[in-house]
Amino acid sequence: MTDTIPDHNQAQARVAQLHEQLHRYNREYYQQDNPSVPDAEYDRLLRELQQLEQAYPDLLSDDSPSQRVGSLPLSAFTQVAHEQPMLSLDNAMNAGEFADFYARLQRLAASEQEIALVCEPKLDGAAVSLLYENGRLLRAATRGDGSTGEDITANVRTIGNVPLRLEGEVPSRVEVRGEVYMPLAGFERYNQQARDNGGKVFANPRNAAAGSLRQLDSRVTATRPLEFCAYGVGVVSDDFARPDTLFEVFQCIRRWGLKVNDELTLADNLEQAQQFYQRLGDKRHRLAYEIDGSVFKVNDLALQQKMGFVARAPRWAVAYKFPAVEQMTRLNGVDFQVGRTGAITPVARLEPVHVAGVMVSNATLHNMDEIERLDARIGDTVIVRRAGDVIPQIVSVVQDMRPQDAETITMPLDCPVCASLVERVQGEAVARCTGGLVCAAQRKEAIKHFASRKALDIEGLGDKLIEQLVDADLIDSVDDLFHLQESQLAALERMGPKSAANVIAAIDAAKNTTLPRFLYALGIREVGVVTAQNLANHFGFLQRIMDADQDALLAVNDVGDIVAAHIVNFFREEHNRDTIAQLRAAGVDWPEAEPQRDEEAPLAGQVAVVTGTLSSMTRDEAKQALQTLGVKVTGSVSAKTDFLVAGEKAGSKLAKAQSLQVEVLDEAAFMNLLQQHGVQ
């Protein structure tokens, strides 16, 4: 809405339009669990309606979306009348509005004294009422329209952290109100399973929680990773000795066995409340659940009673919102990027928009399957989401805003970098360029991988230097590294004679490597550090790996059909064999020997566990080193464990090993053991 107030007729028409839009968005959000617009867009329209109703009070009606919360309950559930309305909260969108809220509190209190506020995160889930009688859960209901909700008792009983019976001394009748939400780890796990099985993917954790609560079959709800967190009480019997403050009420709720948010705190004044909001905002993306702001409530219950309510919200509370994590914008086009392994990834070009405080102009589309699932087209209005450091992604398309000239998105037939054929293997979602080492996009990444720490570990040869070398046409493939001259390096930007000499020395030192490192450095798809070690242990010689067929590779531990096919296809390409030959000719070498049978390994048959943090290697590297000696490495300590390798901050596993009198090796003893058996 603009700063200019329209005349009465224009306002009346706009109010009617806003009623229709907001009622529809309410149905989508609360009943269908499938919102077509982000929360920020809904909030903007609601605020516009409130401004018009304030300017023209005769346009305010009882059925206005500004006068109630949510929508009517689903007819499939029994309706529940709330004995006390479950109201919503007014929003503060910036520091100025929050300061205005605090000033209103002081006016309502008729005092300039500081007012203490209870501060808590605003969980992004579904509001629920839990009614307990004589300590037992009698009924659970959704908020619904604030006056009438839906009976979801059978579903809520499946939520693990909702107590079926309260603890300690409790009122004979008490209603606890809170939020049911889906933690982020569970949300990501559920969505991944849905993608794998071709099921429905939820746009965000709030939708997932609300949709899970509205399952007619409670056995379905039981499979969803939901949690409940209390934010207050509603109806309570007279035998409850109600405390004087809300903060004390929260302590009662905790004692009854219900979850209260760990971030809950008390602010004595406005400054402390603002500091809480800032701290919570800073850690927002490190929390295990999603929040969209902070909630502030007057701590003094008598003062709450004095301040009262407006039509749809208490005067003594406010939700101070964070910058929205979802916004609407236009999909202007799609670029296709090529990765190190040749994966072709579609990237959306967006009309720039602020999302969670950052200007976003690009978002990932993952692959063509995702584009088809979204039914995204160029020209569409889309909802883009950004959470923390996660790459922005398009979560849905606003279908009713699609223009007539929207264009279908198609995968290019040729690589956008090298014009090689693009192929998509059956059963794989990702399309790939077949150009291999001739593709410039893959060439840079292949060389970076080849020089990386777990590969040939060429010190000083960082990503930016490799990009300079490729861009200057000094190297075209990994074998060119070993023909570089100091003078070539010294001529590059930010490189001098000393730095150039150090890099050349590091490249020369990297010629002496190991077979596992060399295999990993080649960048064969799906061949990581562990698989490379297993291949080297099994075959002993590179040529045997290069000549192995599918069946021979399947005999290797940790190698399945897909990995075996990638290895066969890699060594089948003549240019890959040529590159390896050039590397050998340049002096790259490693020790080779007949593979040692497991029973001949020096520590064959022994069982070990690795725990804690090691300074000289990762736990995976320690595990590989032990496996080279024939040790079976397990994840838990038992009476069958021969020894435990304990790094810094070793915890329960160390305690259990000591209780079972299992031998414990600290890092120094472990490194000495490896050196005794020739493992570096």
Side-chain angles (χ1 to χ4, degrees):
M1 182 177 176
T2 64
D3 294 334
T4 303
I5 301 295
D7 64 36
H8 191 278
N9 289 339
Q10 292 172 326
Q12 189 172 24
R14 180 57 177 158
V15 165
Q17 184 182 26
L18 288 169
H19 275 213
E20 192 279 329
Q21 278 186 279
L22 291 169
H23 280 310
R24 176 158 58 89
Y25 293 154
N26 269 332
R27 288 194 300 273
E28 293 172 349
Y29 191 92
Y30 290 101
Q31 291 181 263
Q32 300 165 11
D33 303 318
N34 187 31
S36 61
V37 296
D39 289 352
E41 176 67 6
Y42 180 92
D43 290 342
R44 184 186 69 79
L45 295 175
L46 182 60
R47 289 165 74 85
E48 180 183 351
L49 176 61
Q50 290 169 327
Q51 290 170 6
L52 288 171
E53 290 172 342
Q54 185 177 1
Y56 298 102
D58 62 299
L59 297 180
L60 177 61
S61 61
D62 290 338
D63 65 345
S64 169
S66 69
Q67 298 302 295
R68 67 174 189 174
V69 182
S71 185
L72 295 174
L74 297 174
S75 60
F77 291 97
T78 302
Q79 295 188 3
V80 174
H82 296 301
E83 297 176 48
Q84 289 183 4
M86 290 187 70
L87 300 180
S88 183
L89 295 174
D90 282 336
N91 292 329
M93 307 306 290
N94 53 55
E97 292 186 3
F98 182 59
D100 289 343
F101 159 75
Y102 195 82
R104 284 196 300 274
L105 293 181
Q106 292 181 312
R107 287 197 299 272
L108 290 167
S111 170
E112 295 184 1
Q113 293 291 321
E114 301 286 6
I115 296 175
L117 300 176
V118 173
C119 318
E120 56 185 310
K122 186 176 182 300
L123 295 171
D124 202 8
V128 168
S129 159
L130 307 180
L131 181 62
Y132 288 87
E133 287 193 357
N134 298 318
R136 295 179 182 274
L137 180 63
L138 177 68
R139 187 186 66 213
T142 65
R143 181 167 59 186
D145 65 358
S147 297
T148 306
E150 305 146 357
D151 189 328
I152 54 168
T153 309
N155 290 341
V156 168
R157 285 181 181 277
T158 70
I159 300 174
N161 78 331
V162 172
L164 301 181
R165 186 170 184 174
L166 299 181
E167 301 174 4
E169 294 185 12
V170 298
S172 58
R173 195 165 185 268
V174 63
E175 176 195 10
V176 180
R177 293 176 173 182
E179 202 85 0
V180 170
Y181 61 98
M182 187 175 288
L184 290 170
F187 169 72
E188 295 296 343
R189 185 169 61 252
Y190 175 84
N191 265 358
Q192 188 57 55
Q193 290 171 347
R195 291 189 194 98
D196 294 343
N197 298 324
K200 176 186 176 182
V201 175
F202 286 111
N204 53 55
R206 197 221 69 85
N207 284 15
S212 299
L213 286 178
R214 287 181 172 85
Q215 294 294 320
L216 296 177
D217 186 346
S218 62
R219 292 173 298 182
V220 175
T221 307
T223 66
R224 307 286 174 82
L226 301 176
E227 290 187 8
F228 173 83
C229 185
Y231 60 62
V233 297
V235 175
V236 62
S237 56
D238 293 337
D239 58 346
F240 177 50
R242 186 183 291 269
D244 294 330
T245 67
L246 178 60
F247 197 77
E248 290 174 290
V249 170
F250 274 113
Q251 308 316 310
C252 291
I253 294 172
R254 271 202 178 104
R255 288 196 294 271
W256 297 338
L258 290 143
K259 179 181 177 65
V260 172
N261 195 280
D262 291 338
E263 302 295 331
L264 182 87
T265 191
L266 189 62
D268 292 328
N269 50 47
L270 175 62
E271 182 181 1
Q272 290 181 10
Q274 290 169 328
Q275 290 171 351
F276 174 85
Y277 173 85
Q278 186 61 51
R279 286 197 307 273
L280 193 63
D282 291 342
K283 69 189 298 185
R284 172 188 186 185
H285 301 301
R286 300 194 300 275
L287 297 174
Y289 44 83
E290 193 153 277
I291 61 175
D292 58 0
S294 301
V295 174
F296 298 92
K297 303 171 186 173
V298 170
N299 187 41
D300 187 320
L301 294 180
L303 194 53
Q304 283 187 12
Q305 192 73 18
K306 177 182 177 180
M307 293 177 175
F309 302 82
V310 293
R312 63 187 294 274
R315 290 191 177 96
W316 41 265
V318 74
Y320 187 177
K321 302 292 281 289
F322 292 134
V325 296
E326 290 183 354
Q327 288 285 9
M328 289 198 309
T329 190
R330 185 179 186 275
L331 175 57
N332 290 332
V334 175
D335 295 328
F336 290 89
Q337 297 181 349
V338 186
R340 178 181 66 82
T341 62
I344 310 290
T345 304
V347 177
R349 284 188 286 106
L350 306 170
E351 194 70 30
V353 62
H354 275 283
V355 186
V358 173
M359 183 65 77
V360 171
S361 57
N362 296 302
T364 181
L365 282 165
H366 300 293
N367 50 52
M368 291 303 297
D369 283 352
E370 180 72 358
I371 291 173
E372 292 169 10
R373 185 187 70 79
L374 291 167
D375 187 23
R377 303 180 191 180
I378 296 170
D380 274 341
T381 296
V382 298
I383 297 175
V384 62
R385 178 179 179 82
R386 177 184 177 272
D389 297 326
V390 177
I391 298 171
Q393 60 179 329
I394 292 174
V395 295
S396 62
V397 173
V398 184
Q399 296 288 348
D400 59 2
M401 297 179 71
R402 170 168 288 165
Q404 292 184 347
D405 60 349
E407 300 176 33
T408 301
I409 301 167
T410 57
M411 174 66 69
L413 298 176
D414 298 325
C415 172
V417 174
C418 70
S420 297
L421 181 68
V422 171
E423 67 176 2
R424 184 173 174 181
V425 177
Q426 187 174 4
E428 290 191 1
V430 179
R432 297 182 185 276
C433 164
T434 60
L437 296 178
V438 305
C439 180
Q442 296 178 69
R443 183 187 309 141
K444 283 184 180 179
E445 295 307 312
I447 296 171
K448 291 175 186 177
H449 178 76
F450 186 83
S452 64
R453 185 176 65 84
K454 292 183 180 180
L456 261 66
D457 193 19
I458 305 178
E459 189 174 348
L461 193 63
D463 291 356
K464 290 184 178 179
L465 179 55
I466 289 171
E467 289 177 6
Q468 279 185 285
L469 291 168
V470 174
D471 292 340
D473 293 326
L474 294 176
I475 54 174
D476 283 328
S477 64
V478 292
D479 55 291
D480 289 337
L481 289 171
F482 299 95
H483 301 289
L484 285 170
Q485 303 296 317
E486 282 187 31
S487 59
Q488 293 174 310
L489 287 172
L492 295 174
E493 186 178 354
R494 296 191 181 91
M495 286 290 290
K498 184 175 180 180
S499 297
N502 289 339
V503 172
I504 293 298
I507 291 173
D508 190 59
K511 291 178 181 179
N512 296 314
T513 186
T514 66
L515 180 54
R517 279 184 174 272
F518 184 78
L519 284 170
Y520 174 72
L522 293 176
I524 305 169
R525 284 184 60 197
E526 308 279 355
V527 176
V529 173
V530 174
T531 303
Q533 180 73 57
N534 290 338
L535 286 166
N537 290 345
H538 184 86
F539 288 101
F541 295 86
L542 176 63
Q543 193 61 48
R544 293 179 184 175
I545 301 172
M546 294 172 64
D547 296 339
D549 59 16
Q550 187 100 354
D551 290 338
L553 290 165
L554 288 174
V556 180
N557 183 35
D558 194 39
V559 174
D561 289 327
I562 294 174
V563 177
H566 291 327
I567 296 169
V568 169
N569 291 338
F570 180 88
F571 289 117
R572 183 181 292 156
E573 293 292 335
E574 199 59 39
H575 63 259
N576 289 334
R577 287 178 171 264
D578 290 343
T579 300
I580 291 170
Q582 294 295 329
L583 287 167
R584 301 300 295 264
V588 179
D589 200 13
W590 54 86
E592 292 184 316
E594 286 294 333
Q596 190 175 48
R597 293 195 298 271
D598 287 344
E599 59 270 20
E600 296 174 348
L603 301 181
Q606 293 201 31
V607 178
V609 174
V610 181
T611 188
T613 303
L614 301 173
S615 61
S616 53
M617 64 178 68
T618 66
R619 281 213 295 252
D620 280 344
E621 289 169 341
K623 178 179 176 180
Q624 294 159 27
L626 288 169
Q627 288 173 337
T628 301
L629 297 175
V631 177
K632 179 181 179 181
V633 183
T634 64
S636 59
V637 177
S638 71
K640 295 181 179 180
T641 305
D642 291 291
F643 62 91
L644 174 83
V645 177
E648 291 290 330
K649 299 180 180 178
S652 59
K653 292 178 183 178
L654 174 59
K656 186 170 184 180
Q658 291 169 335
S659 69
L660 294 173
Q661 297 186 327
V662 170
E663 182 182 4
V664 176
L665 303 181
D666 61 14
E667 185 166 358
F670 174 57
M671 297 305 295
N672 185 52
L673 174 70
L674 296 183
Q675 290 170 4
Q676 286 177 5
H677 296 287
V679 178
Q680 301 297 322

